[in-house]
Amino acid sequence: MEFRKLILMLNILGLMANGEIGGARDVDRVDRQEIKSCKFPALYNFGDSNSDTGGRSASLDMVAPPNGETFFKAPSGRFCDGRLIIDFMAEELGLPYLSAYLDSIGSNFRHGANFATGGSSIRPGGYSPFHLQLQIGQFLQFKSRTTLLYKQLNHSAKSPPLQSRLPRPQDFSDALYTFDIGQNDLAYGFEHTSEAETRESIPSMLDKLGEAIHQLYKAGARNFWVHNTGPIGCLPYSVIYYLPKPRNLDGKGCVEPQNKVAQEFNEQLRRKVLQLRAQLPAAALTYVDMYSAKYSLISNAKKLGFEDPSQFCCGSYYGYHIGCGEKAIVNGTVYGNPCPNPSEHISWDGIHYSEAANALLAKTVLDGSLADPKVSVGEACHSSMT
């Protein structure tokens, strides 16, 4: 297993050097010696299942085995066999893995909190009640209540252990605030309306996202790292259930009309970030092209040693629909057994990426080569680097 990981990393480093993964490297990059590390004391995340570290599992549906088997050796609330990109981001910043805000068992919020929940969308409705505005409201309450409690405990003659699990009030303004959300707005639109109507609704989605960032800014947040949405049409689930195929599949086997809507979302998001920079002059806003990273990974699956990217490891959408972590026997056929080699798959369950894929995606985006401005995640407090 460790040898395979080494080979994967050598392969992707070779492709990165050739410009096949993540685009050109070190072009128009700022001299690294000129940029100081921000040393973020905390990380606050807002999003959906792509970055949920236990919120939905604690509040709605428990994430069952074999989720978590690769790294945590048990379910960890993540829709993955192991770590997510947000986990690799925490590692890169020297911070512990984020506790979910909604998880009351064993949580530690000293270095941040995760408000993302599986199924969440920017706008209300959809697959989860925890839409973005609700997540922002949870954060504002979290900040207010923990600050008050921290100060009360600070005046105690003997500081109890509880205080060490609370965020330091001064860290909120220096923390990094991350967003990875929007995929479910598109997915729900495709499922319940049309591609054209979903495209027309993008401005209202991004207005809501802009309002959320304004609220955080008003509350003292200054450093923002914003992922665009991935190629939703490349998810095995999308390919399986998209009826007008195959004439609308691109050369990589992805649903091209859905990806075009995702690309339109991303272009409008990029312009929204530019607008927010003008409106919030003290903010450092970094726009991250996650779409390109994921599409490049899928396009180069074979070169990187992965199976066909249309295949996935856990659950089944062929013949009998069963979610990851469930089992069923239909006419003598057993459905639900996970594959023995998740590290050879880009997709874990047809919707979410495997740990192996997440590791390579993190390697691709966290260095800033797909960011605007071109700063790494550890330098994201710098707003004027080009």
Side-chain angles (χ1 to χ4, degrees):
M1 182 66 72
E2 293 303 320
F3 177 74
R4 172 175 171 73
K5 289 181 179 178
L6 175 61
I7 295 299
L8 281 173
M9 292 309 300
L10 290 174
N11 283 339
I12 195 168
L13 288 171
L15 291 173
M16 289 162 70
N18 292 330
E20 296 181 56
I21 292 287
R25 298 278 158 171
D26 299 323
V27 178
D28 297 326
R29 295 298 300 273
V30 178
D31 186 340
R32 311 315 302 165
Q33 294 180 349
E34 296 178 4
I35 309 177
K36 294 182 179 179
S37 173
C38 301
K39 299 188 184 303
F40 294 115
L43 180 63
Y44 292 98
N45 182 64
F46 305 87
D48 53 32
S49 56
N50 287 314
S51 60
D52 180 4
T53 56
R56 187 178 183 102
S57 186
S59 60
L60 296 174
D61 318 304
M62 188 179 73
V63 176
N67 288 285
E69 67 177 14
T70 296
F71 182 79
F72 299 100
K73 308 305 179 185
S76 64
R78 294 157 174 80
F79 293 87
C80 182
D81 61 306
R83 289 165 290 182
L84 309 176
I85 293 172
I86 191 70
D87 295 312
F88 292 108
M89 185 184 298
E91 290 181 5
E92 181 71 15
L93 296 174
L95 299 174
Y97 300 136
L98 291 182
S99 293
Y101 167 76
L102 293 171
D103 192 353
S104 59
I105 308 298
S107 294
N108 188 327
F109 301 118
R110 170 50 61 95
H111 296 287
N114 196 350
F115 297 86
T117 55
S120 291
S121 52
I122 297 173
R123 298 191 301 175
Y127 304 115
S128 167
F130 299 107
H131 55 83
L132 180 58
Q133 185 55 50
L134 183 57
Q135 292 180 27
I136 298 299
Q138 290 172 334
F139 167 79
L140 295 175
Q141 183 177 164
F142 171 85
K143 180 176 183 286
S144 175
R145 295 180 65 186
T146 58
T147 297
L148 178 61
L149 180 57
Y150 188 94
K151 290 179 178 178
Q152 290 174 342
L153 295 173
N154 219 27
H155 289 116
S156 300
K158 188 175 182 180
S159 180
L162 172 61
Q163 190 182 50
S164 66
R165 305 175 77 85
L166 296 176
R168 290 178 288 258
Q170 67 269 23
D171 288 349
F172 284 105
S173 60
D174 295 327
L176 181 63
Y177 293 79
T178 57
F179 290 83
D180 192 332
I181 195 167
Q183 178 175 304
N184 287 319
D185 293 85
L186 302 186
Y188 194 82
F190 295 150
E191 183 178 349
H192 295 280
T193 61
S194 66
E195 288 158 7
E197 290 174 292
T198 303
R199 183 188 294 266
E200 291 172 0
S201 69
I202 291 173
S204 66
M205 298 175 198
L206 297 180
D207 283 344
K208 291 291 185 185
L209 179 60
E211 291 171 9
I213 291 177
H214 270 274
Q215 285 182 280
L216 292 176
Y217 183 87
K218 185 177 180 181
R222 290 296 180 265
N223 308 305
F224 301 93
W225 179 271
V226 184
H227 289 177
N228 68 14
T229 197
I232 186 172
C234 294
L235 299 177
Y237 179 92
S238 299
V239 176
I240 292 167
Y241 283 103
Y242 189 75
L243 297 180
K245 63 183 184 182
R247 61 186 176 85
N248 284 327
L249 298 182
D250 68 11
K252 304 302 179 184
C254 302
V255 181
E256 191 169 24
Q258 292 188 353
N259 278 351
K260 285 184 175 179
V261 176
Q263 290 170 325
E264 178 61 26
F265 175 95
N266 292 339
E267 175 54 27
Q268 292 191 36
L269 173 60
R270 186 188 67 80
R271 296 200 297 266
K272 174 64 71 174
V273 170
L274 290 175
Q275 181 186 72
L276 289 167
R277 286 178 186 154
Q279 296 170 344
L280 310 173
L285 286 130
T286 305
Y287 170 85
V288 183
D289 188 6
M290 186 60 70
Y291 182 102
S292 290
K294 289 182 174 178
Y295 194 82
S296 293
L297 177 62
I298 290 164
S299 300
N300 291 282
K302 186 175 181 180
K303 293 179 182 178
L304 293 167
F306 287 107
E307 300 281 349
D308 182 338
S310 67
Q311 303 300 312
F312 52 96
C313 187
C314 188
S316 173
Y317 299 116
Y318 297 102
Y320 187 77
H321 186 152
I322 188 167
C324 181
E326 301 174 346
K327 286 189 179 182
I329 301 176
V330 181
N331 296 326
T333 301
V334 179
Y335 293 89
N337 288 327
C339 71
N341 52 348
S343 65
E344 295 180 8
H345 290 77
I346 287 177
S347 180
W348 165 240
D349 60 6
I351 297 175
H352 306 99
Y353 289 75
S354 67
E355 172 174 290
N358 285 330
L360 298 186
L361 290 168
K363 182 77 174 177
T364 305
V365 301
L366 296 182
D367 73 346
S369 56
L370 290 177
D372 177 17
K374 291 187 180 300
V375 291
S376 71
V377 69
E379 301 158 345
C381 60
H382 301 288
S383 58
S384 58
M385 299 299 176
T386 56

